[in-house]
């Protein structure tokens, strides 16, 4: 449980860094395009580097704990068991496929 809380804190920190970096990049593009200096054009790319790094960290973290869907991400952040959610989804999909099969006949 402590390990999960620590992972969530790291993930939240990376998410905020990524969000702020993307926002600063988007806001910096407009004024910089009006400038004639070529070196100033590199500022948005430099602001984009932390966002890309943090997005890579978040994606590798999601792969390490095998989270794929939005509902699994929400369940994980709320501290619920992701395996139970998957079992419910599988039961629903089996029911739905059987229902569609019977309707097709």
């Amino acid at each position: 449980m402590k390990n999960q809380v620590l992972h969530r804190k790291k993930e939240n920190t990376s998410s905020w860094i990524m969000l702020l970096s993307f926002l600063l990049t988007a806001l910096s593009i407009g004024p910089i395009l009006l400038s004639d200096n070529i070196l100033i054009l590199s500022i948005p790319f430099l602001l984009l580097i932390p966002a890309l790094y943090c997005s890579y960290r978040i994606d590798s973290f999601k792969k390490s704990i095998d989270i794929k869907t939005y509902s699994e991400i929400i369940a994980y952040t709320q501290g619920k068991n992701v395996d139970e959610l998957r079992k419910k989804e599988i039961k629903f999909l089996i029911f739905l496929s059987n229902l569609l099969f019977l309707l097709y006949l």
Side-chain angles (χ1 to χ4, degrees):
M1 185 69 174
K2 256 186 176 180
N3 196 16
Q4 186 178 8
V5 171
L6 181 63
H7 283 298
R8 277 191 285 174
K9 283 186 179 182
K10 285 183 181 179
E11 185 178 358
N12 286 341
T13 304
S14 293
S15 297
W16 279 108
I17 291 171
M18 182 179 69
L19 177 70
L20 291 174
S21 182
F22 275 133
L23 285 174
L24 287 174
T25 301
L27 292 175
S28 70
I29 288 176
I32 289 174
L33 287 177
L34 298 175
S35 144
D36 292 335
N37 193 350
I38 293 181
L39 290 175
I40 294 178
L41 291 175
S42 64
I43 291 175
F45 295 108
L46 294 175
L47 290 172
L48 194 61
I49 291 172
L52 295 176
Y53 175 71
C54 289
S55 65
Y56 173 75
R57 282 182 54 189
I58 291 171
D59 194 44
S60 64
F61 173 71
K62 286 188 335 186
K63 285 181 183 178
S64 71
I65 57 174
D66 194 28
I67 291 181
K68 295 179 180 126
T69 64
Y70 181 73
S71 59
E72 290 176 355
I73 292 171
I74 296 298
Y76 180 78
T77 57
Q78 292 175 350
K80 297 178 183 174
N81 193 355
V82 177
D83 292 330
E84 291 176 10
L85 178 69
R86 287 184 185 149
K87 288 178 185 177
K88 288 179 184 178
E89 288 176 354
I90 289 173
K91 285 180 183 179
F92 176 72
L93 290 175
I94 290 172
F95 169 74
L96 188 62
S97 65
N98 289 338
L99 181 66
L100 291 174
F101 180 72
L102 288 175
L103 290 175
Y104 183 72
L105 290 176

